[in-house]
Amino acid sequence: RRASPDVIMLHDDLTDYGVLDLCVRIRGEGRIGLTTPVVVVSTDPTRTRRIAAYKAGAWEYIVLPLDPEVLLLRLETFARARREVERVSEAALLDLETGLYNGAGIARRSEEVASDARRRHDPLSCVALIPQPGTNGSISRSTRESMVPEFGRLIRRSARISDVMGRSDGAVMIIAPATPSGGGGSERPDRPPS
């Protein structure tokens, strides 16, 4: 489950699980998501089955018999596209799942906020929220991971636009600058619309 593959290839002969149900389930996995190409190989040439595969999230539907050279070329193309998406995501400053800053975004924005605070001789505060496994198994890892996008939305709605809000290495983190000029600690004049 920790793997982030370049391409996933599913064959219709899977007996334990329906291939289209598996495709939908794979799309729901946080580490895989929509950016990982899923190729379905099948013996069913019908238009209905092909459309169902695309609706389930497949990037490609290949009917047997297939040309091995063409298949390899397609897989190489999909793998290159996946690696490019990953490269662009890493270069970006936002975590796509939560809309918060990623590690690079946190570092860059925190540096800006810290520089401004030093210049104005204002204090900074930092709050790190790190999900911990339940001691008695009360919250599973998958449950915690499924809560992250909603938690990100909650943080974005309740923080000021000037706050540095980010997620790094599975931890959700907020680094907030000092209160706005003029003192009033509870004011939120620069809060984004919900």
Side-chain angles (χ1 to χ4, degrees), residues 134-179:
T135 54
N136 61 0
S138 58
I139 299 178
S140 70
R141 178 184 181 92
S142 62
T143 301
R144 283 193 316 273
E145 287 178 4
S146 70
M147 293 167 57
V148 168
E150 183 57 34
F151 194 56
R153 284 188 287 279
L154 176 67
I155 289 172
R156 283 196 325 272
R157 280 194 310 265
S158 21
R160 297 171 296 191
I161 199 166
S162 60
D163 294 345
V164 179
M165 302 165 283
R167 175 183 182 198
S168 179
D169 297 327
V172 176
M173 172 187 270
I174 305 172
I175 301 173
T179 59

Side-chain angles (χ1 to χ4, degrees), residues 40-184:
V40 174
V41 179
S42 177
T43 55
D44 186 348
T46 63
R47 179 177 184 272
T48 304
R49 183 67 173 179
R50 183 180 302 268
I51 289 171
Y54 289 129
K55 284 182 178 180
W59 279 30
E60 183 68 81
Y61 184 86
I62 300 171
V63 178
L64 295 173
L66 56 87
D67 181 333
E69 186 176 1
V70 170
L71 175 63
L72 286 176
L73 290 171
R74 284 180 175 169
L75 293 177
E76 286 172 5
T77 299
F78 290 147
R80 277 194 310 274
R82 167 69 175 136
R83 286 190 297 269
E84 180 64 15
V85 165
E86 202 168 86
R87 186 191 67 74
V88 168
S89 294
E90 287 172 4
L93 299 178
L94 294 179
D95 174 62
L96 298 176
E97 188 177 17
T98 61
L100 302 173
Y101 285 115
N102 60 19
I106 292 170
R108 182 174 170 179
R109 184 73 180 108
S110 297
E111 193 174 295
E112 293 168 356
V113 168
S115 175
D116 186 52
R118 276 192 302 273
R119 183 177 51 76
R120 295 184 303 147
H121 303 288
D122 283 343
L124 279 175
S125 60
C126 175
V127 177
L129 305 165
I130 304 168
Q132 298 293 315
T135 54
N136 61 0
S138 58
I139 299 178
S140 70
R141 178 184 181 92
S142 62
T143 301
R144 283 193 316 273
E145 287 178 4
S146 70
M147 293 167 57
V148 168
E150 183 57 34
F151 194 56
R153 284 188 287 279
L154 176 67
I155 289 172
R156 283 196 325 272
R157 280 194 310 265
S158 21
R160 297 171 296 191
I161 199 166
S162 60
D163 294 345
V164 179
M165 302 165 283
R167 175 183 182 198
S168 179
D169 297 327
V172 176
M173 172 187 270
I174 305 172
I175 301 173
T179 59
S181 315

Side-chain angles (χ1 to χ4, degrees), residues 1-22:
R1 286 195 178 251
R2 291 194 167 264
S4 182
D6 288 333
V7 178
I8 297 173
M9 198 160 128
L10 303 173
H11 193 288
D12 239 352
D13 284 348
L14 290 172
T15 55
D16 294 344
Y17 209 81
V19 73
L20 300 184
D21 292 334
L22 183 57

